[in-house]
Amino acid sequence: THNLLLSKMEMDYLMDEVYGQQKSQKQILNTIPEALIMFDKKGVVFEEGSKASEEIFGITIFKSDLLNPDDKLYIWDILKLNDEETETFKKWLKKVYESKINFKDLIDLAPQTYQKNKGKYINLVFKPIYSLEDQKSILKLVLIGKDRTFEKSLEKNMKKEQQNNKLLRQSLD
């Protein structure tokens, strides 16, 4: 019984360590201002990610629902893809995970922007996470979403200003 007690104490210590590391990881992820969402080859979103993702995409992503652990959220649901876009994305995802074609050659076929949340303009970047054992084998994909709404509005204002200046110069001639 003494050995069992020691084993239980060791197990409790290890569980506390794992919990502490997970908590630290979550705290670090929540300081990132960009959306950071990880998903597998079936498009199923993992529970790890940045809290900013929910604000950027306007949807609850990280529920940690202990009552319904089988409820899955798919990346195309977050991106609010229509049926045709979803099918195209699934085909792209399949090609990515087959690893027959280099990821960098497939990346341009992925969605590049997201504009379906209250006029926000989000730049999308997909990055693979490779297996340590097999550098060609992709374990999961990471979606990074950067809110570029402010930059886009500045760009729009600059174009407007240039057009106004052009009209003004033309009226002087």
Side-chain angles (χ1 to χ4, degrees):
T1 59
H2 178 69
N3 286 342
L4 280 175
L5 183 59
L6 277 176
S7 292
K8 184 188 178 324
M9 288 171 64
E10 287 172 346
M11 185 64 106
D12 288 345
Y13 172 76
L14 289 174
M15 291 301 288
D16 285 346
E17 281 294 308
V18 168
Y19 176 74
Q21 288 175 359
Q22 286 176 334
K23 189 174 177 186
S24 294
Q25 180 185 23
K26 201 168 216 144
Q27 288 171 333
I28 290 169
L29 285 172
N30 286 338
T31 64
I32 298 171
E34 288 89 18
L36 192 76
I37 302 170
M38 291 177 243
F39 59 98
D40 67 12
K41 65 182 173 184
K42 293 179 183 168
V44 176
V45 174
F46 291 95
E47 280 297 315
E48 306 99 28
S50 68
K51 197 70 177 158
S53 305
E54 295 182 338
E55 183 182 320
I56 288 173
F57 291 105
I59 183 174
T60 302
I61 300 169
F62 310 110
K63 297 177 191 152
S64 296
D65 193 349
L66 298 174
L67 298 176
N68 298 313
D70 295 333
D71 283 356
K72 292 180 172 71
L73 183 61
Y74 293 90
I75 193 67
W76 42 84
D77 294 331
I78 293 170
L79 296 175
K80 299 175 183 151
L81 301 179
N82 65 33
D83 291 343
E84 186 179 330
E85 292 168 329
T86 298
E87 284 311 307
T88 301
F89 189 88
K90 285 178 181 179
K91 288 175 188 173
W92 175 79
L93 201 56
K94 186 175 186 232
K95 291 292 179 196
V96 165
Y97 275 94
E98 284 175 355
S99 299
K100 291 179 184 172
I101 302 172
N102 224 333
F103 183 80
K104 65 181 173 73
D105 296 327
L106 291 170
I107 193 62
D108 289 337
L109 301 174
Q112 305 294 309
T113 59
Y114 174 85
Q115 299 178 54
K116 298 176 182 173
N117 182 21
K118 301 176 201 154
K120 288 185 181 183
Y121 183 91
I122 311 300
N123 185 44
L124 303 177
V125 178
F126 293 86
K127 296 286 185 183
I129 296 178
Y130 292 98
S131 165
L132 292 175
E133 293 83 35
D134 178 8
Q135 286 296 314
K136 285 191 175 247
S137 177
I138 296 175
L139 296 176
K140 53 185 152 182
L141 287 178
V142 178
L143 167 61
I144 303 164
K146 297 181 181 184
D147 189 343
R148 297 286 185 225
T149 308
F150 181 70
E151 290 90 338
K152 276 293 180 186
S153 74
L154 287 178
E155 204 175 282
K156 198 175 179 180
N157 289 341
M158 269 182 39
K159 282 181 184 178
K160 232 182 214 180
E161 191 67 33
Q162 287 172 343
Q163 286 175 338
N164 289 341
N165 286 340
K166 187 178 179 181
L167 288 171
L168 188 61
R169 278 195 305 270
Q170 286 174 348
S171 69
L172 291 174
D173 289 340

